[in-house]
Amino acid sequence: MEQAKLDAADSDNFFEFENKGELAEMLAQDVADTLYSFIEENGNVTIAVSGGSTPAPFFAALAKIDLDFSKITILMVDERWVDVRHADSSERLLHEAFAGLPINIFSLAPKANEDVMAGAERLNKALQNINIDIAILGMGDDGHTASLFPNHAALKEGLNPNSSHNCIAITDSPKPPSQRVSLTYAKIMQARQLILHITGESKKGVLERALHIKNQAELPISAFLQQSETPIYIYYA
Ligand code: 6PG
């Protein structure tokens, strides 16, 4: 593993890998170590993860590790408001990657015929009972993370560090599909360990900007990068 120094990133928190495969393997191993120790400490552990294309090899690598999956609860940091069998469902990635393992999936997916506003309200309450230990975030080229999109009206609650909301509805996402639910910054920041998992030169450029930007709403990931409450480890290839 090679450590590289970003312009303003704390080099201790930035890990760069040769390629996406090596990145996924090492991330899985490091996360597994944390899962082991949290299980040892508390008897169980909850991990929140991102959708998109980046995490698939990480999920596959994690599923191969010898862990007591029955003690692990996993949830998405955001979900596209489609049935879990739909091709766009993020949760579907979890069912595929962890098939046959006794992992507990806390679902953010819609109930039959449930609209996204009602769903976000239901999940907002249900998430009161979920304590996130580890959060692994992704990032889009526009600096969004989870479904917290740049300059979006939903950021009023979505990025408010004192928000009482665990979950918000998005009805006009700039990234399709338009309807989504997202955990809020306040909820994600419950995590004791934060990781950002990104690949590609262009995302590294966005990361550099997000480390310095003054208006966090322009690049929502910046809120996580600039806070000093919980260190965020960046895994990059
Ligand atoms: C989604 C997620 C989104 C995702 C990032 C990164 O709907 O896909 O809400 O936040 O994690 O856009 O996606 P990629 O890994 O595909 O670049």
Side-chain angles (χ1 to χ4, degrees):
M1 176 170 37
E2 196 186 312
Q3 279 194 18
K5 197 166 166 53
L6 271 188
D7 192 17
D10 178 343
S11 63
D12 290 345
N13 291 359
F14 185 76
F15 305 106
E16 180 166 0
F17 300 88
E18 285 292 308
N19 55 57
K20 292 179 189 178
E22 194 194 317
L23 164 65
E25 292 293 331
M26 290 305 300
L27 176 58
Q29 198 49 67
D30 290 353
V31 168
D33 288 346
T34 310
L35 292 169
Y36 280 125
S37 71
F38 285 4
I39 292 171
E40 196 150 285
E41 199 180 307
N42 292 327
N44 55 58
V45 66
T46 297
I47 178 170
V49 295
S50 296
S53 53
T54 310
F58 158 67
F59 295 152
L62 190 65
K64 288 204 201 90
I65 297 177
D66 185 20
L67 280 157
D68 187 349
F69 285 98
S70 68
K71 306 248 164 66
I72 302 174
T73 297
I74 193 163
L75 72 155
M76 306 304 306
V77 291
D78 66 323
E79 183 57 280
R80 303 160 179 188
W81 203 247
V82 294
D83 187 86
V84 75
R85 285 157 302 200
H86 192 283
D88 284 340
S89 166
S90 296
E91 184 181 316
R92 196 177 49 83
L93 300 174
L94 301 181
H95 289 285
E96 286 172 7
F98 298 100
L101 294 168
I103 198 164
N104 307 292
I105 297 178
F106 178 90
S107 179
L108 300 188
K111 303 270 188 210
N113 302 319
E114 185 180 40
D115 79 57
V116 69
M117 301 305 288
E121 203 36 61
R122 170 179 61 79
L123 290 164
N124 194 38
K125 293 195 190 103
L127 282 160
Q128 290 295 38
N129 303 320
I130 295 286
N131 285 311
I132 299 170
D133 296 297
I134 307 170
I136 305 184
L137 299 174
M139 183 184 82
D141 281 326
D142 61 354
H144 82 265
T145 190
S147 285
L148 305 172
F149 290 97
N151 301 316
H152 195 282
L155 294 184
K156 188 166 176 270
E157 284 307 328
L159 278 192
N160 174 3
N162 303 314
S163 178
S164 56
H165 290 65
N166 298 308
C167 181
I168 52 174
I170 315 290
T171 53
D172 56 354
S173 163
K175 179 177 180 179
S178 58
Q179 298 202 338
R180 293 154 171 264
V181 289
S182 180
L183 301 195
T184 57
Y185 171 86
K187 182 64 183 176
I188 295 169
M189 282 301 297
Q190 274 188 347
R192 295 193 271 164
Q193 189 177 95
L194 285 174
I195 291 173
L196 174 62
H197 177 196
I198 51 169
T199 60
E201 275 297 318
S202 70
K203 285 192 182 178
K204 193 170 174 190
V206 179
L207 173 65
E208 292 279 5
R209 282 176 47 225
L211 288 163
H212 303 288
I213 202 158
K214 294 222 164 58
N215 179 7
Q216 296 184 334
E218 281 178 36
L219 297 173
I221 189 64
S222 65
F224 295 91
L225 293 166
Q226 294 178 7
Q227 53 79 34
S228 49
E229 218 173 295
T230 308
I232 179 161
Y233 297 95
I234 302 162
Y235 281 70
Y236 168 76

